[in-house]
Amino acid sequence: MIQPSVKDIRDFSFEELQEYLTSIGEKSFRASQIFEWIYQKGAWSFDPMTNVPEILRQKLAQAFILKPHKIDRKEISQDGTTKFLFDLDDHQKVETVLIPAATRTTICISTQAGCKFGCRFCASGIGGWIRNLSCAEIITQVLHVKEEALKHDNPLSHVVFMGIGEPFDNFDNFMKAIRLINDQRGINIGARRITVSTCGVIPKIKQLANEGIQIELAISLHGYDNASRNILMPVNRKYPFDDLIAACREYIQATKRQITFEYILIKDVTCTDKAAESLKKAFRGIICKMNLIPYNPVSEFDHKTPSTQEMQAFRNRLEQFGILATIRSPRGRDVAAACGQLRHATSN
Ligand code: SF4
């Protein structure tokens, strides 16, 4: 029997909730009703669950937490991007972003309070790592953004794990949240509309290949060889560039799926002829997409964003080399919601 030591009901998978309900003498079909209320009807407490007997609702309310995150701040960018600053129960704060576009509505999720990987262009790593988020804390971000998106008649359609933290450093909670997002009885978003981005934690790339879930994998590459990646991404000292590319080749072979590579464009650093030549060599024989991300200013770093002409020339060079590359338009820069700008903050 699963004891309700997991205090938030959104830490349960569907099967775990069924098991819990039968262990307290309830019918397992109640799990479907409870899931529907939480994940499809957006209930923030047990009270509205009118098709669940009142006595069971009372028991659940005693055993579990079901409540929204406290919203500390909600900022809306001129381009419609909305950034939420959530104040968690222990007053750790995380940011979550809703990104509306013509054909999709995307949430960018945080998986940790802070980040230990300290990439040298990213605000999220500046304050260091505090703790992992639970599955419930991750999924509750989705429930808030889903509710917000519906208010604007733009149902949530895509999920990216590219907010604060390294998802593969919190692998079990992250995977559990993915399964709830993907579960038809849960949030019900197709696996191919869910993308996880990693800074290159090789053992977990291998583990993901064996999870049997068809989500999209993105690699935050950001360097063009071992030396450049060592400078920009300290994780490269543990998982070097060549090993990472080899792990990606294995992943593609094992899953028959493409990988997206995220590559930051920093003037005179990553957006050079030398970088393009090096990427050409590294990517020989890999069919992939490369997202080129113009550097989004963070006050602690003195990098510069290349000019539009420089970025286009770099993109064209990659395409000549057979690497399909797109320059991503920055979203939500005016509210510091763009890539690399999300920041861990505490209440102090
Ligand atoms: S890019 Fe990702 S892994 Fe690197 S510091 Fe930022 S949040 Fe952490």
Side-chain angles (χ1 to χ4, degrees):
M1 163 181 160
I2 295 170
Q3 297 292 341
S5 54
V6 181
K7 283 286 199 273
D8 192 307
I9 196 160
R10 292 158 295 191
D11 275 318
F12 273 156
S13 68
F14 184 79
E15 290 73 21
E16 285 169 344
L17 182 56
Q18 275 186 320
E19 199 186 323
Y20 171 73
L21 288 166
T22 47
S23 77
I24 59 165
E26 296 289 342
K27 299 271 186 275
S28 63
F29 76 86
R30 297 284 177 211
S32 307
Q33 295 172 321
I34 295 166
F35 254 52
E36 191 182 2
W37 278 106
I38 297 175
Y39 297 109
Q40 284 156 32
K41 295 183 178 164
W44 290 117
S45 77
F46 296 102
D47 297 336
M49 302 184 183
T50 44
N51 54 352
V52 175
E54 198 182 338
I55 184 91
L56 175 56
R57 279 187 269 149
Q58 283 169 0
K59 273 194 221 169
L60 292 170
Q62 278 166 9
F64 298 110
I65 293 165
L66 175 58
K67 64 182 174 68
H69 283 327
K70 184 165 168 260
I71 301 173
D72 215 51
R73 213 165 46 234
K74 193 165 102 181
E75 292 174 274
I76 303 176
S77 152
Q78 284 172 358
D79 65 18
T81 300
T82 304
K83 183 170 82 168
F84 291 83
L85 178 67
F86 293 118
D87 181 9
L88 305 179
D89 286 350
D90 60 354
H91 298 302
Q92 292 303 323
K93 297 193 180 180
V94 292
E95 295 184 320
T96 309
V97 185
L98 163 64
I99 310 155
T103 55
R104 57 173 65 189
T105 303
T106 304
I107 177 177
C108 178
I109 303 180
S110 295
T111 51
Q112 298 181 308
C115 181
K116 62 180 77 154
F117 289 86
C119 304
R120 304 286 305 147
F121 50 82
C122 174
S124 308
I126 290 170
W129 176 86
I130 310 293
R131 67 171 177 85
N132 286 338
L133 301 193
S134 66
C135 167
E137 287 172 328
I138 296 170
I139 207 81
T140 304
Q141 296 173 55
V142 189
L143 292 171
H144 275 283
V145 167
K146 185 176 179 230
E147 184 177 77
E148 181 75 16
L150 276 179
K151 279 188 211 158
H152 300 281
D153 273 342
N154 287 321
L156 183 63
S157 60
H158 288 73
V159 173
V160 298
F161 283 83
M162 297 185 183
I164 299 169
E166 162 57 53
F168 285 1
D169 192 43
N170 184 15
F171 195 83
D172 293 347
N173 291 343
F174 147 76
M175 269 318 296
K176 199 163 192 189
I178 290 249
R179 293 195 192 281
L180 283 171
I181 292 167
N182 181 228
D183 193 327
Q184 287 185 344
R185 300 154 301 193
I187 291 178
N188 191 18
I189 291 182
R192 290 175 186 205
R193 294 175 166 209
I194 303 171
T195 302
V196 59
S197 173
T198 177
C199 63
V201 182
I202 292 176
K204 299 297 177 189
I205 295 173
K206 295 180 193 243
Q207 198 172 333
L208 183 67
N210 295 323
E211 287 286 333
I213 187 158
Q214 305 263 302
I215 61 170
E216 303 292 331
L217 176 63
I219 303 288
S220 292
L221 189 68
H222 304 315
Y224 52 86
D225 63 9
N226 215 39
S228 65
R229 207 165 186 270
N230 269 344
I231 294 169
L232 289 170
M233 303 191 69
V235 67
N236 194 70
R237 293 172 195 274
K238 188 160 184 194
Y239 301 118
F241 185 88
D242 290 343
D243 295 358
L244 177 59
I245 299 292
C248 291
R249 286 182 194 276
E250 275 172 36
Y251 179 91
I252 292 167
Q253 210 171 18
T255 60
K256 309 282 177 260
R257 300 190 62 73
Q258 268 192 16
I259 292 180
T260 301
F261 290 87
E262 311 281 337
Y263 185 85
I264 195 161
L265 296 175
I266 302 175
K267 189 176 172 64
D268 301 332
V269 179
T270 60
C271 189
T272 61
D273 286 350
K274 182 181 171 194
E277 288 290 341
S278 176
L279 290 171
K280 173 188 171 188
K281 253 195 251 156
F283 279 79
R284 196 160 285 145
I286 298 183
I287 299 172
C288 65
K289 291 178 279 184
M290 191 170 282
N291 274 336
L292 303 176
I293 305 170
Y295 169 68
N296 290 309
V298 172
S299 55
E300 284 83 350
F301 304 118
D302 45 5
H303 302 310
K304 300 224 167 4
T305 312
S307 68
T308 307
Q309 289 85 333
E310 285 170 313
M311 294 193 283
Q312 278 168 352
F314 186 76
R315 197 256 328 266
N316 294 345
R317 199 83 200 277
L318 292 183
E319 296 221 322
Q320 280 166 11
F321 296 155
I323 301 173
L324 182 65
T326 317
I327 301 173
R328 193 193 281 169
S329 351
R331 298 294 307 268
R333 256 189 189 175
D334 53 328
V335 294
C339 279
Q341 291 186 309
L342 297 188
R343 198 172 274 271
H344 170 254
T346 61
S347 55
N348 313 322

